Amino acid sequence: MSSGVTYELIDTIGVITVNNPPVNALSQALRLGLLEVITAAQKDASEALVLLCAGRTFIAGADITEFGKPPVAPFLPEVLSALENSRKLVVAAIHGTALGGGFETALACHYRCAVPSAKVGLPEVKLGLLPGAGGTQRVPRLAGVKAALEIITSGNPLSAAEAADLNLIDEVLPHENLRESAIAYARDLVDSGAQLKRVRDITLNASSLEPGFFDNYRRKLAERARGQIAPDRIVSAVEAAVNMPMDQGLIRERDLFMELLNSSESRAMRHIFFAEREAAKIKDLPADTPVRDIRRVAIIGGGTMGGGIAMCFANVGVPVTLLEIGQEALERGLGIIRKNYAITVQKGKMSEAEMQQRLQLITGSTAYEDLADMDLVIEAVFENPDVKKEVFRKLDAVCKRGAILASNTSYQNIDDIAAVTSRPQDVLGMHFFSPANVMKLLEVVRGEKTANDVLATAMQVGRRIGKVCALSRVCYGFIGNRMLAGYGRQAHMLLLDGASPAQVDAAAEAFGMAMGPLAMSDLAGLDIGYKARQAREAAGEVIDPATDCVSSALVELGRLGQKSGAGYYRYDPQTRARQSDPEVDALIRAHADKLGIVRREISQDEIVARLFYPLINEGALILEEGIAQRPGDIDIVYVYGYAFPSAKGGPMFYADEVGLKTVYDTIVRFGRELGEEHWKPAPLLERLARSGNTFSAWDANR
Ligand code: NAD
């Protein structure tokens, strides 16, 4: 039993039960237990074996805590080979989710049955890996090459019915009672004299594949894989299933798997996997911190952000009141929500009934008195401190005691906002990202006086609405936007120094960003930064023209970005495709001349370093100031809030991979060449670089 595998004979059906809570992960003990039970069962009175799992799911995958440690026998392929070569018929009985190594285990059995609610899949690509225990060889043999490629390169799960349509499951059981119906199914197979059906014996018929199929597939994949290697290696493994006998294919698969396991890409993606779970924990909060009950939520402001945030709550069944400044603004806000849901219905991703259900959960209001009973209020009005403070004064006057009052502000000081209320302990920041119903990140901003249970509740609410949460202390722009400032500044300065917008964006996109910084500014609207700069200047700040003159000139020419058809680029009115614009090139040259900058060729490497090293440097300051809890939290903010490539693991992980000495030396050199004003190495970076340390080792040892 210590192995987590038990065996029992029910008449002549041998039932192997895996019990390794919480998700029956394939630990070493479990692998050994399975091997022993299968071997022993060959000699007993059983006529067939059923492999099923206790608890909430079939084997949900590898034991990822074993990743990065020296592997210990028996290895999964050996166990699967014992299953496949069993002289007695083996039926895998699936409930919950059979993923990765779990699904590969099922594929090594002779038959697979599943309860209707079960899901199966091979998500390894999401960790920069491929299924390394026969998945790439067995899925194409059952489902065909094209379906196999789609399943393994996407990593997305299939329902039992979908898997049955693709031959990956032989029988969808009539009801959810797994044990009883699986034993009955095995009994039927025995009684009908069913053969041992080994997937390895299926000859893959690839004659229907057009010539050059795999190369074409690779090319198509490269467009959406953003420089990742795992999808490419998956194609190679499936190609081996077509061109090689099973045993050789398995060896090829193993080799490719090992290559990926040792790749920086997979290390980065596994880091993100763990960092996401860590980020949800607040270091100094006692484990037994209570949470407040959140049943009714209100959002103040139904604009771009407020509408999206309201949808987040309606999507999980929480009633939400949207409060606007007047009836007209309210109708506009509700109209946009309706339109967004309607688009989802049109795309077939939601039923009409679901849409109605969600819309019914959203109530409009223009009266603060309606908020008296709310458990949580999230303010998303204009980014203006006075307007926000006025809102919080009103909330303080009407909301019941114990209600949590949150601001979605991007930059304002949460402590100043909290100070206008009589209950600063109940105030915090909940910073969503646009579009709020889509983007996964929620920055939870902890004010000086925010109470522990308020923080714990905000983290829990974030998870409940499907967000990945990271904690930030108060500073201008919090973790994400504070770091972004240097990235945006360098994008602009690179133009003046000699790069074109297309070069800057291409370098960032080749690095793996979903969209380069200038294209991103065009998408967000150049007027947003323009207005923010005007406000800063009005407050007496002097802004270096080299950091924004081109952007401001574009706004003054009416080029606000995509919404006006032109910004750094010109946009095709139909396709929205971006095109370089000679007018912009001329504008950049004129501004460089005016500032006395001699433009030069700029290499892709320089562009990448100038864009990304400021993120790392600011991240180091943020860590030392205690704004972020851990380097991994910063990585989570960037991957989930700013589409930083997960294959690079976030800026801090990327810095560790590059080597902090390289990053530090480059920043010092840029300081000499480009001016120290924007290139001052952070003290923490300097210390770690000098001592040959990494952010992650520093974090682990403090
Ligand atoms: P927006 O201009 O689209 O919407 C603001 C809405 O608030 C408007 O509909 C306005 O009518 C309403 N409003 C203004 N004063 C109000 C009041 N006193 N009571 C009720 N409603 C009022 O702005 P947005 O882009 O949704 O931004 C809202 C907040 O979210 C800002 O603090 C912004 O910094 C922050 N934010 C924006 C983004 C983004 O990408 N747009 C991302 C993260 C955070």
Side-chain angles (χ1 to χ4, degrees):
M1 185 59 211
S2 65
S3 69
V5 184
T6 53
Y7 182 77
E8 159 189 26
L9 256 182
I10 307 283
D11 295 328
T12 55
I13 304 294
V15 180
I16 305 170
T17 305
V18 167
N19 189 2
N20 182 24
V23 293
N24 294 312
L26 278 164
S27 63
Q28 190 269 343
L30 188 66
R31 296 194 299 270
L32 185 62
L34 271 175
L35 194 57
E36 286 172 356
V37 166
I38 298 156
T39 311
Q42 302 303 312
K43 299 185 201 108
D44 71 7
S46 60
E47 291 181 279
L49 306 173
V50 171
L51 171 62
L52 54 77
C53 294
R56 61 179 148 102
T57 178
F58 193 76
I59 300 166
D63 182 349
I64 48 168
T65 61
E66 289 181 8
F67 281 162
K69 295 187 187 148
V72 189
F75 306 120
L76 187 57
E78 191 187 333
V79 180
L80 301 195
S81 168
L83 275 174
E84 191 164 56
N85 293 323
S86 161
R87 281 177 285 109
K88 306 207 174 148
L89 183 150
V90 188
V91 177
I94 302 171
H95 77 300
T97 46
L99 298 179
F103 187 39
E104 288 179 297
T105 303
L107 289 168
C109 298
H110 304 125
Y111 291 87
R112 282 155 294 285
C113 62
V115 297
S117 63
K119 286 196 157 68
V120 299
L122 295 169
E124 285 83 349
V125 70
K126 296 182 178 174
L127 295 178
L129 296 170
L130 56 73
T136 66
Q137 307 302 298
R138 290 193 177 95
V139 173
R141 280 179 164 78
L142 287 168
V145 169
K146 289 182 184 169
L149 283 170
E150 180 51 36
I151 293 165
I152 309 174
T153 60
S154 76
N156 294 333
L158 302 171
S159 67
E162 288 165 335
D165 282 346
L166 289 168
N167 276 333
L168 293 167
I169 282 176
D170 300 287
E171 180 83 1
V172 179
L173 298 169
H175 49 74
E176 295 288 329
N177 186 339
L178 177 77
R179 190 180 151 91
E180 180 189 307
S181 48
I183 293 173
Y185 175 59
R187 177 89 266 147
D188 285 350
L189 287 172
V190 171
D191 292 349
S192 63
Q195 302 294 308
L196 296 192
K197 230 174 53 176
R198 303 194 312 173
V199 178
R200 66 157 51 236
D201 297 336
I202 299 171
T203 313
L204 230 178
N205 178 4
S207 58
S208 64
L209 297 178
E210 57 271 24
F213 169 81
F214 286 105
D215 287 338
N216 289 337
Y217 197 90
R218 275 199 184 85
R219 218 166 300 128
K220 249 186 18 220
L221 208 55
E223 287 165 24
R224 63 180 153 100
R226 293 205 271 149
Q228 292 177 31
I229 57 172
D232 176 84
R233 301 306 187 269
I234 288 168
V235 180
S236 299
V238 172
E239 203 172 2
V242 173
N243 295 329
M244 295 176 175
M246 181 82 175
D247 285 329
Q248 277 180 37
L250 285 173
I251 293 170
R252 177 89 176 113
E253 178 194 73
R254 198 74 203 158
D255 289 347
L256 292 163
F257 174 80
M258 291 313 293
E259 179 197 344
L260 292 177
L261 189 64
N262 293 317
S263 68
S264 164
E265 170 177 313
S266 177
R267 266 199 305 283
M269 293 169 94
R270 280 177 275 144
H271 159 72
I272 288 300
F273 180 89
F274 289 112
E276 179 180 333
R277 280 146 190 82
E278 274 302 293
K281 301 177 195 151
I282 302 180
K283 278 185 173 174
D284 60 336
L285 240 56
D288 58 353
T289 305
V291 288
R292 298 188 190 176
D293 202 13
I294 303 297
R295 291 163 192 261
R296 302 189 55 86
V297 175
I299 314 294
I300 316 294
T304 309
M305 294 306 290
I309 300 171
M311 290 170 77
C312 290
F313 285 96
N315 290 348
V316 296
V318 177
V320 48
T321 300
L322 189 69
L323 185 132
E324 258 293 351
I325 205 158
Q327 201 56 40
E328 199 182 314
L330 180 61
E331 282 311 320
R332 193 179 55 231
L334 292 172
I336 293 171
I337 293 175
R338 275 194 290 272
K339 205 173 93 198
N340 282 337
Y341 276 131
I343 292 171
T344 314
V345 171
Q346 263 165 30
K347 286 187 187 158
K349 291 185 181 165
M350 188 187 284
S351 70
E352 181 77 30
E354 277 171 322
M355 170 172 90
Q356 290 308 335
Q357 226 170 22
R358 291 174 199 204
L359 285 172
Q360 271 166 19
L361 286 167
I362 304 176
T363 314
S365 166
T366 56
Y368 277 82
E369 293 70 42
D370 292 345
L371 308 187
D373 278 341
M374 296 296 149
D375 303 307
L376 167 67
V377 183
I378 302 174
E379 166 278 311
V381 305
F382 303 133
E383 185 69 4
N384 174 314
D386 298 328
V387 177
K388 290 198 188 282
K389 283 178 190 162
E390 190 47 39
V391 168
F392 273 78
R393 274 189 206 100
K394 288 188 188 146
L395 292 176
D396 190 29
V398 299
C399 290
K400 67 180 183 193
R401 289 284 125 191
I404 295 178
L405 309 181
S407 173
N408 179 49
T409 178
S410 306
Y411 292 98
Q412 304 305 318
N413 187 314
I414 296 294
D415 294 326
D416 292 352
I417 293 174
V420 305
T421 72
S422 63
R423 42 175 120 178
Q425 73 282 359
D426 294 336
V427 177
L428 84 169
M430 288 178 75
H431 184 211
F432 291 75
F433 289 72
S434 181
N437 53 321
V438 176
M439 292 298 284
K440 294 279 282 181
L441 181 68
L442 176 65
E443 260 184 324
V444 172
V445 185
R446 177 181 201 164
E448 202 54 55
K449 297 195 173 147
T450 310
N452 283 353
D453 64 336
V454 170
L455 286 173
T457 307
M459 297 301 258
Q460 193 194 54
V461 165
R463 272 196 300 283
R464 191 164 150 207
I465 58 175
K467 300 299 178 197
V468 175
C469 302
L471 186 73
S472 174
R473 290 263 185 191
V474 174
C475 67
Y476 186 76
F478 316 122
I479 298 173
N481 282 342
R482 171 170 161 183
M483 285 168 64
L484 197 66
Y487 174 79
R489 186 159 53 226
Q490 286 304 318
H492 188 274
M493 295 177 96
L494 279 160
L495 299 179
L496 295 171
D497 286 343
S500 67
Q503 272 175 314
V504 173
D505 285 338
E509 287 159 18
F511 179 84
M513 297 296 287
M515 196 183 258
L518 300 167
M520 191 68 214
S521 305
D522 272 358
L523 179 66
L526 299 178
D527 50 323
I528 294 185
Y530 185 80
K531 283 187 200 137
R533 286 191 295 275
Q534 278 184 324
R536 280 160 57 200
E537 277 177 328
E541 202 176 317
V542 181
I543 298 177
D544 175 0
T547 63
D548 63 59
C549 56
V550 174
S551 174
S552 294
L554 289 171
V555 173
E556 282 155 17
L557 288 169
R559 302 179 65 122
L560 308 183
Q562 279 202 22
K563 61 183 162 191
S564 69
Y568 283 109
Y569 298 92
R570 199 156 266 298
Y571 291 88
D572 185 296
Q574 258 88 52
T575 64
R576 290 212 200 157
R578 67 188 196 219
Q579 294 150 6
S580 296
D581 188 342
E583 239 179 78
V584 175
D585 296 335
L587 186 78
I588 294 169
R589 273 197 304 276
H591 278 275
D593 284 349
K594 208 159 102 191
L595 293 165
I597 297 169
V598 181
R599 297 183 85 233
R600 59 185 166 90
E601 265 312 297
I602 301 203
S603 70
Q604 178 158 328
D605 285 350
E606 179 177 338
I607 296 175
V608 167
R610 283 178 63 177
L611 290 177
F612 295 105
Y613 289 7
L615 291 180
I616 298 165
N617 201 49
E618 198 67 36
L621 290 172
I622 279 175
L623 280 174
E624 198 152 40
E625 291 167 23
I627 300 291
Q629 300 191 95
R630 326 168 172 89
D633 288 16
I634 296 180
D635 291 334
I636 289 304
V637 166
Y638 263 77
V639 167
Y640 288 111
Y642 298 84
F644 191 96
S646 58
K648 293 263 189 325
M652 309 319 275
F653 182 88
Y654 171 67
D656 280 351
E657 290 276 306
V658 170
L660 298 190
K661 181 164 169 14
T662 304
V663 176
Y664 170 77
D665 289 347
T666 309
I667 289 177
V668 171
R669 177 166 62 82
F670 283 155
R672 275 197 310 273
E673 294 170 359
L674 306 166
E676 286 184 351
E677 191 194 346
H678 300 304
W679 295 102
K680 275 195 231 66
L684 176 64
L685 175 65
E686 178 167 354
R687 278 202 315 280
L688 298 181
R690 285 188 195 283
S691 60
N693 218 330
T694 59
F695 287 121
S696 100
W698 165 80
D699 183 49
N701 293 324
R702 70 193 161 127

